[in-house]
Amino acid sequence: MASSVETLEFQAETRQLLRLVIHSIYSNKDIFLRELISNSSDALDKLRLESLAGSTVGADTSDLHIALEVDRDARTLTVRDNGIGMSRDELVDLIGTIAKSGTAGLLEKIKESQDAAAAQSLIGQFGVGFYSAFMVADKVTLRTRRAGTDAGTRWESDGEGTYELQAVDGLPVGTSVTLHLKPVDGEDGLADYLAGWKIRQIVKQYSDFIRWPIRMAAEGVQGVQGAQGVEEGGTDEDADAAPAVETLNSMKALWARPRSEVTEAEYTEFYQQISHDWLAPAETIHMRAEGTFEYEALLFVPAQAPFDLFSRETKRGVQLYVKRVFIMDDCEALMPNYLRFVKGVVDAHDLSLNISREILQHDRQIQAVRRRLVKKVLGALKTVQAKDTERYAKLWDQFGRALKEGLVEDPDNSQALLELLSLPSTHDTERPTTLREYVERMKEGQDAIYYLTGETRATVENSPHMEAFTAKGYEVLVLSDPIDEIWADRIPAFDGHRFQSIAKGQVDLDETAGEDQDAEAERTRREQDFAELLPWLTAALAEQVKQVRLSSRLTTSAACIVGEADDISPTLEKMFRATGQEMPPVRRTLELNPGHPLITALRTSHAADPGNPALTEIAELVYGGALLAEGGDLPDPARFTRLLTTHLTRGL
């Protein structure tokens, strides 16, 4: 028996807010079904909890589920659940959330923020998600009865000026929301929400892992309802019964199950489903965080890097769920750029979203989750490095360049990333080394980690800067990745040992090894011998170099070019210019090998005839040769070639 209908009018500002919810907040109209299913799932959760607590009298929890019902003749879609339901007062309070006093002030805040971020406190309240139904429906009818009560309530509105309330007897426990759908309109984003394929698509995308079964009558199939999927072939008496029912969602949220209950085959199948990769993952990270903020995460490190790993358009981030409801793909806020190869899901029990659940609010919760995920991924890679060097070598080959980016982007985790580095060095031409291994092999008295950057390994190994280090057995890291140019300058030290480019500053290996008095005396003698040549060369090459000095790092080459400790490297200078950035000219230091025949002959010739113009040309050749030896570009190749040809001819 139904009572009289009570008609209530929305306030003027409430109508404005409702229009904002319907027309502006949600970017995709398919979201309405996600919101309604999420509400139903919450209702089932509440009934389950209250029944366990014994506070709900007569509640039937034997078959908790969500049902989707399509009526093509009436053009209605109904979302029904047998959850906790609502009393009349709860219905008015929950659906009337946006009709409460103070709506005008809230509306003003939403308008000011434009993206509705100011209304984030409304997330999770029944009213906001419920009103998304008006994006696709001309009229919405809701019927509900709370568990433990006898009275039911019907609510109905066209989303304009008024809504109706009516007490109704005989309703089952739970809630049903019937949408009187608008006509299909592709230009306005209104799909055919009566089509079975479209409903399945939305459920699969947004609600596949809801813990409760989502059921719908199978199109064109008659039979008996089964627990999962469709069960056909009932008795003759069942032939004219209701259509068979299929379960649309898998309910297989692997991340919500203990790791001991999940097989490797299930992990692999799930990874391949979300990543579209045909290979099995190289590493699986299954974690659960409890406390003031609870979430589960299931992350995967692929075995092979995607082809677009270093493309600007590559998508990054993990999938985000809230209470098993899909929120977004590629959630960048939860995973840094240098870990963009990590795939997986994060399911938060509560998270600060904006009113449409489509934009994350940057708050402490998000940052806390991100920090924990990063530490877990880096920790998992460290474990692989320690236990299986061969497998780690393959992972580093695929993702090492991306991990190096973290040394620049993520200073908080720089030390953890340094531990993961696997770098080529002069110690072993075939096998790379870790920094920990390098430090363990350092010579007595050595306090720096030596490295040299260049475009290729061959360029680095054949550099004149290497000569003394090779001769005296010092290990040098060979860094030929473009990112090496950046991080090596920014990271001060590892395990108390500073990083030192052998192409910058003054390096005195004799001093490092503990020089004797004879070496000191030899150095003083050489400085006296070249006391006149060095100032003259500095003046002759003033446009190219900052200073000319004697070198202790050369053994076979005549000269090399050295930068100051804070100078930009030639390779990095090239990279900047290649991107169109103008770089101010950098004048560096020319170092001479005092024992090389060319340099001693130049000193002798200068002492005999300081005004000889040919000496200036030879000085240019010495500088040009040093520039070519490090892989640099000559400022005037034609002049260098002409001078070289002239002096070779004279020599012959």
Side-chain angles (χ1 to χ4, degrees):
M1 177 177 177
S3 65
S4 60
V5 177
E6 182 181 3
T7 301
L8 303 176
E9 184 175 348
F10 287 124
Q11 297 174 359
E13 60 269 22
T14 304
R15 290 198 296 271
Q16 296 177 42
L17 182 57
L18 182 55
R19 291 193 188 98
L20 185 66
V21 172
I22 297 171
H23 300 294
S24 302
I25 291 178
Y26 294 97
S27 61
N28 182 358
K29 289 183 169 56
D30 292 355
I31 296 296
F32 84 93
L33 190 54
R34 178 191 74 180
E35 297 295 312
L36 296 180
I37 290 175
S38 180
N39 287 340
S40 294
S41 177
D42 289 343
L44 294 170
D45 287 338
K46 290 175 183 177
L47 178 61
R48 178 67 174 168
L49 287 173
E50 290 202 13
S51 66
L52 291 174
S55 58
T56 302
V57 179
D60 181 9
T61 59
S62 60
D63 183 27
L64 298 179
H65 66 277
I66 301 167
L68 306 181
E69 300 169 3
V70 172
D71 186 335
R72 284 195 168 273
D73 294 334
R75 282 198 57 76
T76 61
L77 172 64
T78 300
V79 180
R80 186 187 307 277
D81 68 72
N82 55 351
I84 191 68
M86 290 176 281
S87 66
R88 182 188 184 282
D89 291 341
E90 289 173 329
L91 180 61
V92 171
D93 183 59
L94 291 172
I95 297 185
T97 296
I98 64 173
K100 289 182 177 180
S101 62
T103 302
L106 176 60
L107 178 60
E108 188 63 29
K109 289 182 180 179
I110 290 179
K111 287 182 177 178
E112 290 175 359
S113 65
Q114 295 182 350
D115 64 354
Q120 60 177 309
S121 60
L122 294 180
I123 283 302
Q125 297 186 24
F126 187 92
V128 177
F130 169 78
Y131 276 113
S132 66
F134 285 103
M135 293 190 299
V136 300
D138 290 318
K139 183 173 67 174
V140 177
T141 303
L142 182 148
R143 296 176 177 85
T144 185
R145 176 163 75 91
R146 200 189 198 286
T149 66
D150 297 324
T153 307
R154 181 182 70 86
W155 181 99
E156 187 171 275
S157 176
D158 59 5
E160 292 297 332
T162 62
Y163 61 94
E164 296 178 351
L165 283 175
Q166 182 182 22
V168 180
D169 294 331
L171 292 180
V173 170
T175 302
S176 69
V177 180
T178 300
L179 285 68
H180 302 263
L181 296 172
K182 297 176 181 179
V184 176
D185 185 348
E187 293 184 359
D188 194 32
L190 287 168
D192 182 5
Y193 295 113
L194 297 175
W197 70 267
K198 183 61 178 178
I199 294 173
R200 291 184 186 88
Q201 179 193 64
I202 297 173
V203 171
K204 189 70 176 176
Q205 180 177 359
Y206 294 106
S207 308
D208 191 47
F209 302 114
I210 291 287
R211 73 175 66 196
W212 309 109
I214 303 171
R215 298 171 182 165
M216 184 177 71
E219 296 175 315
V221 180
Q222 300 290 325
V224 181
Q225 177 183 333
Q228 293 285 337
V230 178
E231 182 179 325
E232 301 183 48
T235 63
D236 293 339
E237 295 179 359
D238 297 319
D240 296 326
V245 174
E246 61 177 320
T247 299
L248 305 183
N249 59 323
S250 68
M251 298 175 285
K252 294 180 179 179
L254 296 188
W255 60 83
R257 293 161 52 186
R259 181 159 192 162
S260 59
E261 298 179 6
V262 185
T263 66
E264 288 301 319
E266 288 178 308
Y267 280 135
T268 299
E269 180 184 5
F270 181 73
Y271 163 73
Q272 292 173 338
Q273 174 188 339
I274 64 173
S275 67
H276 309 292
D277 187 1
W278 60 276
L279 296 173
E283 188 68 16
T284 300
I285 304 166
H286 194 162
M287 59 181 289
R288 177 191 299 269
E290 298 179 341
T292 55
F293 182 68
E294 298 183 6
Y295 63 91
E296 293 98 18
L298 182 54
L299 306 176
F300 301 95
V301 177
Q304 183 171 303
F307 71 93
D308 60 348
L309 180 62
F310 296 99
S311 169
R312 183 177 298 178
E313 287 74 28
T314 186
K315 293 182 178 180
R316 64 181 178 90
V318 297
Q319 294 182 356
L320 174 64
Y321 287 75
V322 173
K323 296 180 181 178
R324 302 195 187 186
V325 177
F326 176 77
I327 302 300
M328 68 177 74
D329 259 325
D330 310 313
C331 181
E332 297 182 3
L334 291 175
M335 195 64 64
N337 184 58
Y338 69 91
L339 292 179
R340 57 189 174 276
F341 54 86
V342 174
K343 303 298 181 183
V345 300
V346 174
D347 187 0
H349 293 197
D350 187 22
L351 200 59
S352 296
L353 307 172
N354 76 339
I355 197 170
S356 67
R357 305 196 194 197
E358 295 175 340
I359 303 173
L360 283 171
Q361 304 302 316
H362 295 281
D363 63 6
R364 294 179 180 178
Q365 289 180 342
I366 299 298
Q367 295 303 318
V369 175
R370 178 186 173 113
R371 286 194 296 269
R372 181 81 183 275
L373 295 179
V374 170
K375 289 187 182 299
K376 274 290 185 180
V377 172
L378 298 183
L381 293 174
K382 181 64 179 174
T383 300
V384 176
Q385 182 190 48
K387 294 184 176 180
D388 192 337
T389 54
E390 184 176 343
R391 187 157 68 97
Y392 183 75
K394 294 179 181 178
L395 286 177
W396 180 260
D397 183 59
Q398 296 294 316
F399 306 113
R401 286 178 60 196
L403 287 170
K404 288 178 184 178
E405 295 173 15
L407 293 169
V408 180
E409 299 172 6
D410 188 4
D412 291 340
N413 289 296
S414 61
Q415 292 305 308
L417 287 163
L418 287 173
E419 291 279 4
L420 294 174
L421 292 181
S422 183
L423 304 171
S425 81
T426 55
H427 176 73
D428 189 330
T429 58
E430 299 295 330
R431 180 180 173 275
T433 184
T434 65
L435 291 178
R436 184 66 57 191
E437 292 170 337
Y438 180 101
V439 169
E440 291 173 355
R441 291 192 296 264
M442 285 173 60
K443 285 180 172 291
E444 183 179 353
Q446 180 183 349
D447 64 348
I449 298 174
Y450 296 122
Y451 72 89
L452 182 60
T453 60
E455 293 185 353
T456 65
R457 178 172 185 130
T459 301
V460 174
E461 289 180 331
N462 295 322
S463 170
H465 298 99
M466 280 282 197
E467 293 173 1
F469 289 85
T470 302
K472 296 188 177 183
Y474 284 92
E475 182 177 357
V476 179
L477 299 177
V478 180
L479 307 182
S480 56
D481 280 344
I483 189 66
D484 292 333
E485 296 282 351
I486 302 174
W487 75 259
D489 269 344
R490 296 194 182 183
I491 302 297
F494 170 76
D495 196 28
H497 300 280
R498 60 187 173 86
F499 287 96
Q500 171 68 54
S501 170
I502 65 172
K504 291 184 179 182
Q506 287 187 300
V507 177
D508 196 333
L509 298 182
D510 288 330
E511 184 178 325
T512 303
E515 62 181 17
D516 54 25
Q517 293 182 351
D518 292 339
E520 177 65 24
E522 176 65 17
R523 178 185 304 173
T524 302
R525 184 187 65 78
R526 284 180 172 178
E527 289 177 352
Q528 292 173 349
D529 290 343
F530 285 85
E532 294 183 4
L533 178 66
L534 297 182
W536 175 81
L537 281 174
T538 300
L541 299 173
E543 294 185 2
Q544 290 84 27
V545 302
K546 182 186 302 182
Q547 178 190 6
V548 180
R549 67 190 181 205
L550 297 181
S551 176
S552 61
R553 71 185 89 210
L554 298 174
T555 58
T556 58
S557 297
C560 68
I561 299 176
V562 179
E564 298 302 324
D566 55 351
D567 280 350
I568 186 172
S569 70
T571 305
L572 190 56
E573 187 177 351
K574 277 186 183 179
M575 290 168 54
F576 281 125
R577 288 209 170 104
T579 61
Q581 299 186 51
E582 288 298 325
M583 300 296 298
V586 178
R587 291 189 306 153
R588 295 184 292 151
T589 297
L590 178 66
E591 287 194 355
L592 304 179
N593 180 358
H596 195 279
L598 174 60
I599 303 304
T600 56
L602 180 60
R603 184 198 67 188
T604 302
S605 298
H606 176 265
D609 185 5
N612 186 351
L615 296 181
T616 303
E617 295 178 349
I618 294 175
E620 288 186 49
L621 290 174
V622 171
Y623 170 75
L627 197 61
L628 290 174
E630 69 169 12
D633 296 325
L634 293 170
D636 190 347
R639 175 174 172 78
F640 179 83
T641 304
R642 186 169 62 253
L643 292 177
L644 181 62
T645 303
T646 299
H647 286 276
L648 285 175
T649 303
R650 290 177 184 173
L652 293 174

